[in-house]
Amino acid sequence: MNKDKIGRLFLIIAAVIAIVTALAHLSCIYLGESCYRSQLAPEVIIQSAVNGTLLAPLATILVSSLFLLCASYALSAANMIMKLPLLKTAVYSISILCLFRGLATIPLWLAYPEMFGSFPIIAGVTWFISGVLFFLGIRRQSLAT
């Protein structure tokens, strides 16, 4: 498999992870408080879900939209959709954010071990891997063009 195809595959996998994450977040609107709680939403969002106010669903839609934007940039870099503005800058920025999000799991786990189960660890590892996929994907695509 040549570098272009590997880079494209990495970006597609990163896009799928972002899309699944967006859908998981959106499921909280339907599933309610327990879903927000299991996904470690801030207490203000959980209380909004309990009270039936608009903060929880609107925040969820906003966050899910950001994940879908990340997926769009990955698919654009993979030449699956039209070229989006500031493509390389955006994908590198997304990569850095994902890597930091993944690495942030370690100090948070050390500071708050009582709050950590398998979900936060899996999420941290998943986002670290996503950051690597975004980074290597855009690098390989850049080298191929």
Side-chain angles (χ1 to χ4, degrees):
M1 197 178 274
N2 66 25
K3 287 183 180 190
D4 183 42
K5 287 183 182 178
I6 292 171
R8 187 173 190 210
L9 177 63
F10 286 174
L11 290 163
I12 291 169
I13 293 169
V16 169
I17 292 169
I19 291 167
V20 169
T21 302
L23 293 173
H25 280 75
L26 287 170
S27 73
C28 290
I29 296 171
Y30 176 74
L31 298 173
E33 173 201 357
S34 61
C35 186
Y36 283 107
R37 203 171 291 286
S38 70
Q39 291 192 34
L40 304 175
E43 192 59 36
V44 67
I45 300 296
I46 294 169
Q47 284 308 308
S48 171
V50 169
N51 297 333
T53 64
L54 287 176
L55 178 61
L58 291 177
T60 301
I61 290 168
L62 175 66
V63 169
S64 296
S65 298
L66 293 173
F67 286 118
L68 293 174
L69 184 62
C70 292
S72 297
Y73 270 95
L75 293 173
S76 179
N79 297 317
M80 301 279 297
I81 63 172
M82 68 179 193
K83 186 175 179 186
L84 295 175
L86 301 170
L87 184 60
K88 285 184 183 180
T89 302
V91 174
Y92 280 121
S93 297
I94 292 165
S95 172
I96 290 167
L97 289 171
C98 290
L99 290 169
F100 281 144
R101 166 58 183 91
L103 291 173
T105 303
I106 298 167
L108 288 172
W109 173 58
L110 294 173
Y112 305 102
E114 69 280 358
M115 292 181 64
F116 269 75
S118 57
F119 179 78
I121 294 169
I122 291 169
V125 169
T126 301
W127 284 109
F128 185 81
I129 291 169
S130 294
V132 170
L133 291 170
F134 274 103
F135 180 78
L136 293 178
I138 194 68
R139 288 286 299 150
R140 290 180 178 265
Q141 287 292 94
S142 297
L143 293 174
T145 56

